[in-house]
Amino acid sequence: MSSGGETIGIFGAGWVGLVTAACFADLGHRVIVRDIVPERIERLRAGEVPIYEPGLSELLERNRERMSYTLEVSDVTSEADLLFVCVGTPPTYAGDADLSAVWAVVEELPELGQEAIMIMKSTVPAGTGEKVRAALEARGLGHVGYASNPEFLAEGRAVEDFVHPDRIVIGSFEPSDGKRVGTLYDGIEAPIVYSDVASAEMIKLASNAFLATRISFINEIANVCELTGADVEQVAEGMGLDRRIGPHFLHAGIGYGGSCFPKDVTALKQLAGNSGYHFQLLSSVIEVNELQKRRVVGKLEKHLGPLAGKVIAILGLTFKPETNDMREAASIVLGSRLLAEGAEVRAWDPMAERDSYLRGARICDSILEAVTGADAAVIVTEWKQLRELASDEVRLAMRNPLIVDGRNMLDPAQVGAAGFAYECVGRPGSCAPMPAATADLDLESTPE
Ligand code: UGA
């Protein structure tokens, strides 16, 4: 569909911006990407992809002719009148979303024609669209349309999610603006939900908050399973077959992380609070998630006693596999807790960004290096390389053959038969019951 393509501007060459740009180019549109970081633009122009996302570099390469990169706003607005905002909205200290990058885009827009539409892909609090519209009006750009078109891309499968979405959500003040944005997705088979702007903004936040709630729910069920002898995997399977419940996001583990769930759950809670409503359920979702990361410490202590001087191997640092992203990863909280207990922490991950996270831990190049001489190996991220962890080689290398499986990756019977003590999440077998965890959590000092 190359002939009927539109020209699209993308503000922000981050993960959302680049995936969106590449996928729209692949649908036949011309795409101009603008970022404020010169090095990033230079690398993109040179054909380098600054982030890891499966399929993205191939897509960028395939559509090179239709894509351009610039530091100048005017390069975008002189050619494109569909302007996607894909800038970061990280949490502030108060837990709200920091919209300064969004406001910077609004401030920088020059004169625009009647046809221009600003389209928000970044995750923003409900009500932001109204504020942007007021700011545009104040700048004499009241004729510019506005639409909220939230992204539902999961890291590691973002290209796939863009091409095969469950739904596309487009909220607009003018129905005609919404329809024009909708035509950009021609070629993608998915229902389009047209709504008002505030509802589109809320659909995004509510979806992530609901998914996080499911995870905290199944994690609490897992904790009760540990006390009652039930198996959370069987429970989740039995629950998930009920079509009203469905099977997704019922995988118990060490808690959710990443750049989206922790931020968006907190942002929705704060948004409610700032509007005068106490969103009690989300407070619990956050608290359960914090507790879940710390339960591993109790499981280690049950086998090893006090952890001072013990050598613990953390296997997997990223918040989930197939990404190098460590934002809000469970490994950070767990590693810090272990270091605070006086343990010696080793860490292995095939992709994690090796910067300032987990200062004090020794980063190892291989699983074997991490577990050699260790008193316990903790699976934090379900990298496929860890499926064979319960091997003779690993058992012989460890000082004490204990595996704590924070992702229920391994089969308890097989791990036991291989000569390891084994703890997992909400499953019996060699996982002995754990008392309910509450004691060591100081919620005052945890990010909410
Ligand atoms: C999430 C949503 O899935 C996307 O739809 C959304 O667009 C994105 O946030 C966003 O707002 O940008 P993402 O953060 O990439 O995507 O990761 P997920 O695959 O959803 O996983 C989030 C966390 O939940 C991970 O730490 C994962 O290990 C954990 N999780 C997930 C569980 O503990 N149990 C589950 O059953 C599922």
Side-chain angles (χ1 to χ4, degrees), residues 332-371:
I332 303 172
V333 169
L334 177 63
S336 313
R337 284 293 306 122
L338 293 173
L339 288 165
E341 293 293 328
E344 185 187 320
V345 177
R346 315 258 187 82
W348 166 86
D349 191 284
M351 281 190 70
E353 308 149 349
R354 295 187 174 199
D355 56 13
S356 55
Y357 293 116
L358 275 185
R359 222 173 264 132
R362 192 179 106 201
I363 306 291
C364 300
D365 288 328
S366 69
I367 297 170
L368 197 59
E369 183 191 339
V371 300

Side-chain angles (χ1 to χ4, degrees), residues 77 80-83 110-118 136 140-146 174 176-177 180:
T77 53
D81 51 21
L82 293 158
L83 307 172
E111 281 291 296
L112 294 171
Q114 295 292 332
E115 300 292 303
I117 307 174
M118 187 170 174
L136 287 171
L141 296 170
H143 59 282
V144 173
Y146 181 91
E174 295 298 332
S176 56
D177 289 342
R180 184 154 177 235

Side-chain angles (χ1 to χ4, degrees), residues 181-199:
V181 175
T183 60
L184 296 177
Y185 290 91
D186 281 355
I188 289 184
E189 295 268 327
I192 300 186
V193 179
Y194 290 103
S195 70
D196 57 69
V197 170
S199 301

Side-chain angles (χ1 to χ4, degrees), residues 261-402:
F261 284 179
K263 166 174 85 88
D264 291 351
V265 176
T266 302
L268 181 52
K269 187 188 140 184
Q270 290 300 123
L271 174 71
N274 295 344
S275 317
Y277 181 74
H278 177 46
F279 205 142
Q280 217 163 313
L281 181 60
L282 291 187
S283 300
S284 298
V285 169
I286 293 164
E287 185 180 338
V288 168
N289 198 53
E290 289 305 319
L291 285 166
Q292 201 66 11
K293 298 177 201 169
R294 290 159 167 81
R295 276 178 74 83
V296 170
V297 175
K299 290 180 178 179
L300 288 167
E301 284 171 344
K302 195 180 82 186
H303 289 260
L304 303 175
L307 298 179
K310 298 288 185 323
V311 178
I312 313 293
I314 295 185
L315 303 178
L317 294 174
T318 53
F319 82 97
K320 67 176 187 180
E322 300 308 328
T323 173
N324 60 357
D325 196 339
M326 284 201 45
R327 282 177 286 179
E328 300 288 334
S331 62
I332 303 172
V333 169
L334 177 63
S336 313
R337 284 293 306 122
L338 293 173
L339 288 165
E341 293 293 328
E344 185 187 320
V345 177
R346 315 258 187 82
W348 166 86
D349 191 284
M351 281 190 70
E353 308 149 349
R354 295 187 174 199
D355 56 13
S356 55
Y357 293 116
L358 275 185
R359 222 173 264 132
R362 192 179 106 201
I363 306 291
C364 300
D365 288 328
S366 69
I367 297 170
L368 197 59
E369 183 191 339
V371 300
T372 298
D375 295 291
V378 183
I379 299 178
V380 175
T381 315
E382 61 273 43
W383 286 106
K384 58 181 183 307
Q385 294 89 323
L386 294 169
R387 283 194 199 126
E388 307 303 322
L389 182 65
S391 66
D392 286 344
E393 192 183 31
V394 166
R395 183 171 44 77
L396 293 171
M398 292 180 77
R399 184 157 74 189
N400 175 55
L402 166 64

Side-chain angles (χ1 to χ4, degrees), residues 89-139:
T89 53
T92 65
Y93 280 114
D96 308 300
D98 176 357
L99 298 182
S100 51
V102 171
W103 295 123
V105 174
V106 175
E107 289 305 314
E108 284 175 323
L109 288 180
E111 281 291 296
L112 294 171
Q114 295 292 332
E115 300 292 303
I117 307 174
M118 187 170 174
I119 307 148
M120 188 64 66
K121 269 248 174 257
S122 303
T123 302
V124 293
T128 302
E130 279 291 353
K131 290 182 187 156
V132 173
R133 185 159 76 162
L136 287 171
E137 268 167 21
R139 290 210 47 220

Side-chain angles (χ1 to χ4, degrees), residues 15-16 123 151-155 161 204 208 211 215 218-219 248-261 264 319-320 382 407:
W15 176 75
V16 173
T123 302
E151 55 88 10
F152 298 99
L153 313 173
E155 279 186 45
D161 283 346
K204 166 69 188 189
N208 273 1
L211 291 169
I215 298 171
I218 201 68
N219 281 339
H248 304 293
F249 279 68
L250 288 179
H251 191 62
I254 197 168
Y256 61 78
S259 62
C260 304
F261 284 179
D264 291 351
F319 82 97
K320 67 176 187 180
E382 61 273 43
R407 297 292 181 178

